[in-house]
């Protein structure tokens, strides 16, 4: 009989939790497809769910990352998302690529998306269902809670998930009194 160290048990428990989350998310999306019958409606609902989650995660992130400076531009947003937020909340690394439009658009590339690891999306849904839109919605919600209006969309590629992000504006009207960008 082999002994499992506390660290080994913790890793196994985290892996089991991630797998349970993946399976639960898959069942949730499947049920939504049955309920709404339109993959585009399901994508919109996933985006809204993600947005609502993101507004809460923004507070959690700030509470846990007190030493992270306020982002002043899109490059800083991309760096914080790829190096801190995605690894902390999804447990996987992300890289930044595809800069365009005056450094206001970029993509986060997630090579090993935990949401898609144990799922196979049927071919007839691939063109209309953005299965990982909940991640894009969470990013959009978190950034809006931090006074950045962005557009975000998830794109499933053969080997990765790409979250395309475009900075629209800084929401100066909703900044706390005395703060400015």
């Amino acid at each position: 009989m082999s002994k499992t160290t506390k660290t080994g048990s913790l890793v196994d428990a985290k892996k089991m939790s991630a797998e349970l989350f993946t399976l639960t998310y898959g069942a949730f999306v499947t049920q939504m497809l049955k309920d709404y019958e339109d993959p585009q409606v399901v994508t919109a609902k996933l985006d809204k769910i993600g947005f609502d989650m993101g507004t809460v995660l923004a507070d959690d992130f700030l509470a846990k990352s007190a030493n992270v400076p306020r982002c002043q531009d899109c490059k800083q947003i991309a760096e914080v998302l790829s190096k801190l937020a995605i690894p902390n909340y999804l447990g996987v690394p992300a890289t930044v690529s595809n800069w365009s439009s005056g450094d206001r658009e970029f993509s986060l590339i997630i090579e090993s998306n935990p949401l898609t690891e144990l799922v196979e999306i049927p071919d007839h849904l691939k063109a209309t269902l953005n299965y990982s839109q909940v991640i894009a919605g969470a990013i959009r919600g978190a950034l809006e809670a931090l006074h950045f209006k962005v557009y975000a969309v998830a794109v499933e590629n053969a080997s990765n998930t790409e979250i395309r992000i475009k900075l629209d504006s800084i929401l100066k009207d909703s900044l706390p009194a005395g703060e400015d960008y």
Side-chain angles (χ1 to χ4, degrees):
M1 179 177 225
S2 65
K3 284 180 130 181
T4 305
T5 64
K6 286 185 180 185
T7 307
S9 296
L10 182 60
V11 169
D12 292 342
K14 278 187 172 187
K15 184 172 170 66
M16 271 185 18
S17 293
E19 288 176 359
L20 177 63
F21 173 71
T22 300
L23 292 171
T24 304
Y25 181 74
F28 176 68
V29 172
T30 300
Q31 187 60 51
M32 286 179 69
L33 285 166
K34 288 177 185 173
D35 292 346
Y36 296 105
E37 298 178 359
D38 183 349
Q40 291 176 331
V41 170
V42 172
T43 296
K45 299 266 183 203
L46 292 173
D47 184 73
K48 174 69 170 115
I49 290 166
F51 182 89
D52 292 343
M53 289 170 44
T55 59
V56 174
L57 289 174
D59 289 335
D60 181 67
F61 180 78
L62 291 175
K64 291 178 179 176
S65 308
N67 60 343
V68 175
R70 176 187 300 246
C71 294
Q72 300 294 324
D73 60 25
C74 207
K75 291 232 182 237
Q76 289 175 325
I77 292 170
E79 185 173 324
V80 170
L81 285 171
S82 67
K83 293 182 178 174
L84 298 172
I86 297 294
N88 285 342
Y89 291 100
L90 287 179
V92 295
T95 56
V96 179
S97 67
N98 301 329
W99 281 101
S100 62
S101 187
D103 291 340
R104 295 180 68 87
E105 290 183 55
F106 64 94
S107 293
L108 287 175
I109 307 297
I110 303 170
E111 296 294 333
S112 177
N113 182 350
L115 294 181
T116 60
E117 280 190 14
L118 303 174
V119 225
E120 189 172 317
I121 299 167
D123 289 336
H124 71 281
L125 293 175
K126 287 182 180 178
T128 54
L129 175 68
N130 288 5
Y131 186 79
S132 296
Q133 187 62 30
V134 72
I135 298 170
I139 290 170
R140 194 171 59 82
L143 289 175
E144 192 160 313
L146 299 173
H147 311 290
F148 295 100
K149 181 174 178 154
V150 300
Y151 299 101
V153 66
V155 178
E156 297 295 336
N157 299 311
S159 62
N160 61 38
T161 300
E162 177 181 3
I163 309 295
R164 295 181 184 155
I165 300 168
K166 179 181 180 183
L167 176 63
D168 180 54
S169 61
I170 297 172
L171 303 171
K172 293 184 180 196
D173 291 343
S174 61
L175 287 174
E179 291 192 23
D180 195 20
Y181 277 92

